[in-house]
Amino acid sequence: MTLHRVSSFAEWLLSHRRSLLFLLVLLVIAGLYAGTRMPVSLFPSVSFPRIVVALDAGDRSAEQMQMEITVPIERALRGVPGVVAINSTTSRGSADVDLRFAWGTDILQKVQQVQGALTQAVSQLPAGVQFRVRRMNPTRFPVVAYSLTSDRISPTDLRRIARLQILPVLSSVSGVRQVSLQGGQVAEYRVSVNPSRLAALNLSMQDVVQALSAENTVQAVGKLQARGRLDLLLADSRFKTVDEVRQTVLRTGTNGIIRLDEVADVRTATVPNYRIVTADGKPAVLVQIYQNLGGNTIAIDHRVQAKLAALEPSLPKGITFKRWYDQSTVILDSANSVRDAILLGIVFATLVLLLFLRSVKLAAITLVMVPAVLAATTVLLSVLGMSFDIMTLGGMAAAVGLIVDDIIVMLEQITRKLRAQGHGPRTVMQAAHDFTHPLAGSSTATIIIFLPLAFLSGVTGAFFKALSLTMATALIISFLFVWLALPLIADKLLGERDAHAENTGPIVRRVHQGYAWLMQRLLHRPLWTLPLIGMVIGVGVLALGRVPSGFMPAMNEGGFVLDYQTAPGTSLVETDRLVRQVEHIFATTPEVATWTRRTGTQLGGGLTEANQGDMFILLKSPQGQQAVMDKIAERIQTEVPGFELLDMNQPMQDLIGDLSGSPRPVVVRLSGAGWQTLQALAPKVADALGKVQGLKEINDGLVVAGGAVDIRIDHVRAALEGMTPAGITQQLDTLLAGSVPTRIRVGQEMIGVRVWVPQQDRRSLADIRQMMLRAPDGHLVPVARVATLTRVNGIAEITRHDLQPAVSVSARIEGRGFGATIGDVKRVLAAPGLLPPGVHYEFGGLYLQQQKAFGGLMLVFVAAALLVFLALLFLYEQFTAALAIMTAPLLAVGGVFTGLWLAGQTLNISALMGMIMIIGIVTEVAVFYFSELSVLRAADAPVTPALLIEAGINRIRPIAMTTIAAILALLPLGLGIGQGSAMQQPLAIAIISGLAIQMPLVLVIMPVIYRVLLNVGRRAAAQ
């Protein structure tokens, strides 16, 4: 480097001081503005490569549904380009077909292709088949939800208020995709026909249905044009009141007319409902708000609250609003925790500067630079279309330590230059220019490790790309600010007094002397370093064997979902009785703030059997959530026999697992045999897995529907009576389920009129057998004469995988890691006699996702190491230097495993991200050491032990400063302070653990290895 270049660089910086600083200030201001406009959500906006098709074909048995509907649909959808797997679940009259695609697929295009394939396939299926196509993404869970309860207003009126007054207002909120309602009752007019009176008057149910349909009409009958007007003529016979319904004429004759009220009781009622929804144990209507993908959750929540506050005065008195779920509180708590971690990191870094450099001015520069870098980073994140979520905010918090590293090394370089040359007009600029090459090299080594992460797929790529992109962006901005802005600010603030400040004290001199004494011996006896290297490797390998493996870090969200069921075939009334006992447990648990429950339906809106459902329990505080969940689960198991607790999950963790395929860690999919064989095998496999330590809540995968009554129509007997099976089925449907032939407008609602037989006339099979059917010629026929009624036990849902029968036995893991548990599961499944010949198994669930994620991250680790090695070769053009430098970060990986083990963490994808990042971080420090060595070494001069020692002495203080500052900056995340830090806690602990052994690796081990490699190279060249 020539003095002319230094002078030119300095002149250029100084001559453009105002424009450069103004540009950087503009970036900061733009970042602050962009931060107020960026969407805020819990997770990054991710579209999972999964589409679910819901099929509805009325009342059919599971076997009939599978043969006639599910299998043809599966075959049609298998032909959609890009489908990598297809699963189906078939129940009575309904089925779900789950399509999986490769990550990166244009899912919107696939939705259109799936809809096209379904349209063609449905045309060849039995009439009445309906389908609904849903693409899976995080917005399928509500972002905010309210419960409406009242002691004075009926469930019917409560739902009417929610549907007509609340739903339209909230649907208009910007960013809201959908508002759904659950619970309450829907009003209808009930026409309960007396079969005896009907028969005595020689009338049929069909006569009643036709009369109601014909008398409640409105029809245009022409137009009247007169006196300059054109009027539409309407013939209107619509019912206005329930009394008019009662007066409906069924027949006229010589004996007068027969009205409806002579053969039926007409009154206001509610639509038959086999679902129960409550809040805090009271009948409730639940209002659930869903956002658009990429929406601003915080803004949506504020707008919803404002709309409800404005609407509340117009609502009837006596309605209790309670917010039972609010994703924005989780987001805000997470953001506040990350904010606190960033602020604490900045404060700790400033204290480190004050301790080592004893300069308030330099500390003030750090206090200004770190927030400025983060603000400017926000500009790029906004341009890239990203949002503030726990991944981007966590990336910013994790980047603080690396940003502080850049600031510290530049400030230390400037102060060294000032103390060596004194304060001159170009001293600071010369120091910055001299440091450009090592600063660029170290920054490149850190940033380059994020490049392979761009190719990650699966859940890991979906979530951690946002974190890695945030950190890479922050480091690029940090380099620009430290390279351009920091020298200009330091040149303005630092003066002659700073050039003559005390450089070293007695402690520093003793450290230098001790380091020189140690290195003189190790450089002459390099084998003495082998015990230290062996200890790092050995303890790391030992720790790796002891660290349990996992998938995603657990995060306390302050609430959880409880899935439950009672025995198959249990009535809704009996299930409700058991669930109310569980609700009493919630009411007597002081940590519970509120809860909602659904029976016969699900939180996501899907229908289930009357003996199944779920609950959402909101806690007063997320602290100690797992202990509260365990306490509630234990009380349920001991106090409510007959109530089976299926799962207890936190909503977002459950959602991620659900979107990926299954929220359960262990899923063993059995296939290779017929459905009957698999159905008998699944409980045996579940019992065998029950012996595996750590497996809890084992589910055999068989979902048994409630019992049924098979009404088998005899074709011959029906024909002898002059009837057809279709006609008999239609009459039975009207008698038992009811027919809604017309609707009456009441205010803003259309109220249905249901015709059926009173409940007391069909309470038992004997009642149904004695029901009278009317033949075409008018004579009456009891059901028992043309049909046989048989009670059928519950039948399990039929599950298939890739067009073959399959059943999945699943379980949760408690107190153990994935690896050890799955190893025991494999040994159990390999036991002789458990699996019949031809039956094979494969793993799914979170374990499969973990294996894919770990495989991808291992490839990223190797790619990152190779890229860093390539960057080092480009920087120094020496294999010996590149190999010596790479030993430090690779050995630091042993420290990562040791730290995770000592901290009681699991080896999950967050920890692996930290392990990958430590490669770049340690390499950055090693680059500064070699840059110092290059400055000390004359051209082509040999590298002597004295030079290696002097380079180490010169870098001890800056390496100690950056190491301590980075550890302290990451400490709040590593300690898991706050609700949102759990996702980044393993990452922070991994980085801190690598940093903890960074100094001896870079200052001691690396110089010795470099010296050995140089000697080996010289001997090889001499030979």
Side-chain angles (χ1 to χ4, degrees):
M1 159 190 333
T2 65
L3 290 175
H4 175 70
R5 285 184 177 179
V6 174
S7 177
S8 299
F9 177 77
E11 290 293 341
W12 183 85
L13 271 183
L14 290 173
S15 63
H16 293 84
R17 177 199 301 270
R18 293 176 180 82
S19 58
L20 286 173
L21 290 178
F22 182 70
L23 174 62
L24 297 180
V25 169
L26 281 181
L27 276 176
V28 173
I29 295 173
L32 295 174
Y33 176 78
T36 63
R37 294 294 185 270
M38 283 178 65
V40 183
S41 59
L42 187 60
F43 291 121
S45 177
V46 178
S47 182
F48 283 70
R50 184 178 169 207
I51 295 174
V52 175
V53 178
L55 300 168
D56 187 355
D59 293 327
R60 299 172 188 265
S61 67
E63 294 92 339
Q64 183 185 10
M65 182 74 188
Q66 180 202 7
M67 296 301 297
E68 295 181 357
I69 310 297
T70 308
V71 171
I73 291 293
E74 281 182 347
R75 291 171 180 166
L77 295 180
R78 196 67 173 116
V80 173
V83 173
V84 297
I86 183 168
N87 301 305
S88 69
T89 301
T90 305
S91 186
R92 296 186 299 184
S94 64
D96 282 337
V97 182
D98 187 350
L99 304 173
R100 309 294 175 88
F101 299 86
W103 283 89
T105 301
D106 184 351
I107 206 68
L108 289 176
Q109 181 188 49
K110 294 305 171 186
V111 167
Q112 295 175 352
Q113 293 176 350
V114 167
Q115 289 174 334
L118 285 170
T119 301
Q120 292 183 353
V122 166
S123 64
Q124 303 174 12
L125 299 179
V129 177
Q130 298 178 345
F131 65 85
R132 183 163 60 98
V133 180
R134 294 177 294 155
R135 63 188 183 104
M136 307 301 284
N137 58 58
T139 63
R140 64 180 290 266
F141 199 89
V143 294
V144 63
Y146 292 84
S147 63
L148 278 67
T149 58
S150 178
D151 295 327
R152 293 189 289 176
I153 300 174
S154 69
T156 303
D157 292 335
L158 208 57
R159 184 177 179 89
R160 181 183 296 114
I161 291 167
R163 188 171 67 85
L164 298 180
Q165 296 181 251
I166 298 175
L167 189 146
V169 171
L170 297 185
S171 297
S172 65
V173 171
S174 176
V176 170
R177 174 176 62 86
Q178 177 189 0
V179 179
S180 69
L181 301 179
Q182 287 185 317
Q185 300 287 350
V186 178
E188 72 172 10
Y189 294 121
R190 183 75 52 77
V191 179
S192 300
V193 178
N194 187 316
S196 301
R197 294 182 186 176
L198 206 64
L201 295 171
N202 197 26
L203 291 169
S204 67
M205 292 288 286
Q206 191 61 28
D207 293 332
V208 176
V209 169
Q210 290 176 352
L212 287 169
S213 178
E215 292 211 14
N216 185 44
T217 63
V218 58
Q219 182 176 342
V221 294
K223 294 181 177 140
L224 175 63
Q225 183 170 277
R227 298 182 181 178
R229 291 174 55 88
L230 179 63
D231 295 320
L232 181 66
L233 302 177
L234 297 174
D236 188 353
S237 63
R238 289 176 294 179
F239 297 132
K240 302 297 183 184
T241 65
V242 69
D243 287 331
E244 292 184 7
V245 177
R246 296 188 180 102
Q247 298 303 313
T248 300
V249 176
L250 302 180
R251 178 189 293 168
T252 60
T254 57
N255 295 327
I257 60 175
I258 301 174
R259 293 186 174 88
L260 180 60
D261 59 1
E262 296 181 45
V263 297
D265 176 56
V266 182
R267 65 179 61 192
T268 301
T270 58
V271 173
N273 183 25
Y274 301 99
R275 288 165 283 176
I276 296 176
V277 175
T278 67
D280 294 339
K282 301 177 182 179
V285 174
L286 306 182
V287 182
Q288 300 173 164
I289 296 100
Y290 300 82
Q291 72 174 29
N292 291 314
L293 188 62
N296 191 328
T297 307
I298 304 297
I300 290 173
D301 180 60
H302 290 164
R303 293 173 193 140
V304 167
Q305 291 188 53
K307 290 282 188 181
L308 289 177
L311 182 66
E312 190 170 3
S314 64
L315 298 178
K317 302 297 183 183
I319 297 178
T320 300
F321 272 94
K322 185 172 284 189
R323 187 162 46 180
W324 58 269
Y325 180 72
D326 186 0
Q327 200 177 99
S328 68
T329 58
V330 181
I331 296 171
L332 287 175
D333 289 344
S334 301
N336 291 337
S337 299
V338 174
R339 177 205 62 200
D340 295 342
I342 292 173
L343 293 177
L344 287 173
I346 295 173
V347 170
F348 288 151
T350 305
L351 293 176
V352 169
L353 275 170
L354 285 173
L355 177 66
F356 281 88
L357 299 180
R358 297 185 294 279
S359 172
V360 176
K361 295 178 182 178
L362 298 180
I365 291 174
T366 304
L367 283 174
V368 172
M369 290 293 293
V370 176
V373 170
L374 294 178
T377 301
T378 306
V379 176
L380 286 184
L381 296 182
S382 178
V383 171
L384 294 171
M386 299 177 67
S387 63
F388 280 137
D389 50 63
I390 61 172
M391 306 310 294
T392 53
L393 291 173
M396 285 187 172
V400 167
L402 305 181
I403 296 169
V404 170
D405 277 0
D406 291 343
I407 296 171
I408 286 177
V409 293
M410 179 60 85
L411 289 176
E412 203 276 339
Q413 170 72 9
I414 291 172
T415 55
R416 279 181 58 198
K417 202 73 170 178
L418 286 172
R419 289 162 183 168
Q421 298 182 2
H423 185 272
R426 300 289 183 270
T427 306
V428 173
M429 295 301 127
Q430 182 182 349
H433 184 274
D434 293 344
F435 209 61
T436 298
H437 191 256
L439 181 65
S442 63
S443 297
T444 302
T446 309
I447 294 169
I448 203 170
I449 65 171
F450 295 106
L451 290 180
L453 291 169
F455 301 97
L456 271 181
S457 61
V459 177
T460 313
F463 285 88
F464 282 87
K465 276 181 185 177
L467 182 140
S468 60
L469 184 58
T470 302
M471 295 194 67
T473 303
L475 292 178
I476 293 171
I477 296 294
S478 173
F479 168 77
L480 294 175
F481 270 64
V482 170
W483 182 49
L484 297 175
L486 193 148
L488 294 174
I489 297 173
D491 183 64
K492 196 71 174 176
L493 293 181
L494 300 181
E496 188 68 31
R497 181 181 299 178
D498 300 288
H500 298 291
E502 179 66 26
N503 190 19
T504 58
I507 298 177
V508 174
R509 285 193 291 271
R510 288 179 184 175
V511 171
H512 288 174
Q513 292 169 1
Y515 175 75
W517 178 86
L518 175 66
M519 291 303 295
Q520 285 173 358
R521 282 151 182 77
L522 291 180
L523 288 171
H524 288 93
R525 298 176 181 82
L527 291 180
W528 286 10
T529 61
L530 289 180
L532 179 59
I533 295 173
M535 183 180 69
V536 172
I537 296 175
V539 175
V541 171
L542 175 66
L544 179 59
R546 301 291 181 88
V547 176
S549 61
F551 181 48
M552 294 280 281
M555 185 176 74
N556 289 336
E557 300 175 40
F560 60 94
V561 179
L562 186 154
D563 296 320
Y564 64 88
Q565 70 176 15
T566 56
T570 304
S571 68
L572 183 65
V573 174
E574 176 60 16
T575 301
D576 179 54
R577 184 186 69 82
L578 294 172
V579 174
R580 288 191 179 278
Q581 296 180 42
V582 175
E583 290 183 311
H584 176 71
I585 293 176
F586 298 154
T588 55
T589 301
E591 295 87 354
V592 173
T594 184
W595 73 89
T596 60
R597 69 104 160 183
R598 288 144 292 274
T599 303
T601 185
Q602 298 173 320
L603 181 58
L607 296 179
T608 62
E609 297 292 330
N611 67 313
Q612 297 174 327
D614 61 33
M615 305 177 178
F616 181 84
I617 299 91
L618 180 67
L619 303 180
K620 295 176 181 177
S621 170
Q623 302 300 322
Q625 176 166 332
Q626 189 59 49
V628 177
M629 293 169 64
D630 293 340
K631 180 173 70 173
I632 289 174
E634 183 178 354
R635 288 191 62 185
I636 290 174
Q637 291 172 358
T638 57
E639 297 178 22
V640 192
F643 181 95
E644 183 179 355
L645 193 158
L646 298 176
D647 265 329
M648 294 178 74
N649 305 304
Q650 298 190 64
M652 288 299 101
Q653 290 178 319
D654 182 54
L655 176 63
I656 294 172
D658 228 4
L659 293 173
S660 304
S662 172
R664 313 204 98 195
V666 179
V667 176
V668 180
R669 185 186 296 116
L670 305 170
S671 59
W675 174 247
Q676 298 301 326
T677 301
L678 296 176
Q679 191 175 357
L681 178 62
K684 298 178 182 178
V685 172
D687 290 341
L689 295 183
K691 302 174 184 176
V692 176
Q693 179 187 354
L695 288 188
K696 303 292 182 183
E697 300 172 14
I698 300 172
N699 190 320
D700 60 16
L702 301 176
V703 179
V704 180
V709 174
D710 184 15
I711 304 177
R712 179 70 61 179
I713 299 174
D714 189 309
H715 292 257
V716 176
R717 291 183 181 179
L720 291 174
E721 300 291 343
M723 306 175 73
T724 64
I728 293 173
T729 301
Q730 182 179 7
Q731 290 193 55
L732 286 172
D733 183 53
T734 303
L735 289 169
L736 301 176
S739 174
V740 183
T742 190
R743 295 181 182 275
I744 302 173
R745 179 177 176 179
V746 178
Q748 301 180 56
E749 290 186 291
M750 297 298 293
I751 307 296
V753 179
R754 183 180 301 273
V755 180
W756 70 356
V757 171
Q759 186 71 34
Q760 62 268 20
D761 290 339
R762 48 188 174 88
R763 287 178 176 172
S764 64
L765 292 184
D767 292 337
I768 297 175
R769 290 190 181 99
Q770 297 305 314
M771 280 186 172
M772 291 296 179
L773 306 175
R774 181 170 291 275
D777 62 1
H779 78 277
L780 298 178
V781 180
V783 171
R785 188 181 299 175
V786 293
T788 303
L789 278 66
T790 307
R791 194 178 294 277
V792 179
N793 291 328
I795 300 174
E797 293 179 348
I798 302 172
T799 52
R800 290 161 57 87
H801 173 71
D802 282 342
L803 310 184
Q804 293 183 346
V807 62
S808 296
V809 181
S810 62
R812 292 203 170 275
I813 298 176
E814 185 177 296
R816 295 187 75 188
F818 279 26
T821 306
I822 293 296
D824 290 347
V825 169
K826 290 179 178 178
R827 283 188 285 273
V828 167
L829 295 174
L834 180 61
L835 301 181
V839 174
H840 54 271
Y841 72 89
E842 58 183 349
F843 287 105
L846 295 185
Y847 172 72
L848 178 63
Q849 296 297 324
Q850 182 221 42
Q851 293 300 295
K852 291 180 179 178
F854 278 24
L857 287 171
M858 286 298 100
L859 289 176
V860 168
F861 179 82
V862 173
L866 292 175
L867 285 173
V868 169
F869 186 78
L870 177 63
L872 294 172
L873 275 180
F874 183 81
L875 193 62
Y876 298 110
E877 291 297 336
Q878 294 181 21
F879 274 102
T880 52
L883 288 173
I885 290 174
M886 286 303 298
T887 58
L890 292 177
L891 287 173
V893 172
V896 170
F897 295 137
T898 304
L900 292 173
W901 177 35
L902 295 176
Q905 288 288 325
T906 59
L907 184 62
N908 49 45
I909 59 179
S910 179
L912 287 178
M913 282 287 298
M915 184 184 75
I916 293 170
M917 289 168 57
I918 205 67
I919 295 291
I921 294 171
V922 177
T923 300
E924 178 180 359
V925 176
V927 166
F928 288 134
Y929 174 89
F930 268 86
S931 298
E932 183 68 27
L933 184 63
S934 300
V935 172
L936 296 173
R937 178 187 175 193
D940 298 326
V943 178
T944 63
L947 284 177
L948 293 172
I949 293 172
E950 185 179 356
I953 289 175
N954 290 344
R955 298 312 301 175
I956 282 180
R957 186 175 69 171
I959 291 177
M961 290 168 62
T962 56
T963 300
I964 296 171
I967 289 175
L968 291 177
L970 288 168
L971 196 59
L973 284 181
L975 294 175
I977 297 174
Q979 186 173 352
S981 59
M983 189 66 74
Q984 285 81 31
Q985 185 180 18
L987 179 144
I989 290 175
I991 296 177
I992 289 172
S993 303
L995 291 172
I997 61 171
Q998 171 179 261
M999 284 191 67
L1001 291 178
V1002 172
L1003 294 174
V1004 178
I1005 300 298
M1006 186 184 70
V1008 173
I1009 292 177
Y1010 182 49
R1011 172 77 173 170
V1012 170
L1013 291 174
L1014 286 176
N1015 291 336
V1016 171
R1018 290 194 191 100
R1019 294 192 192 101
Q1023 293 176 357

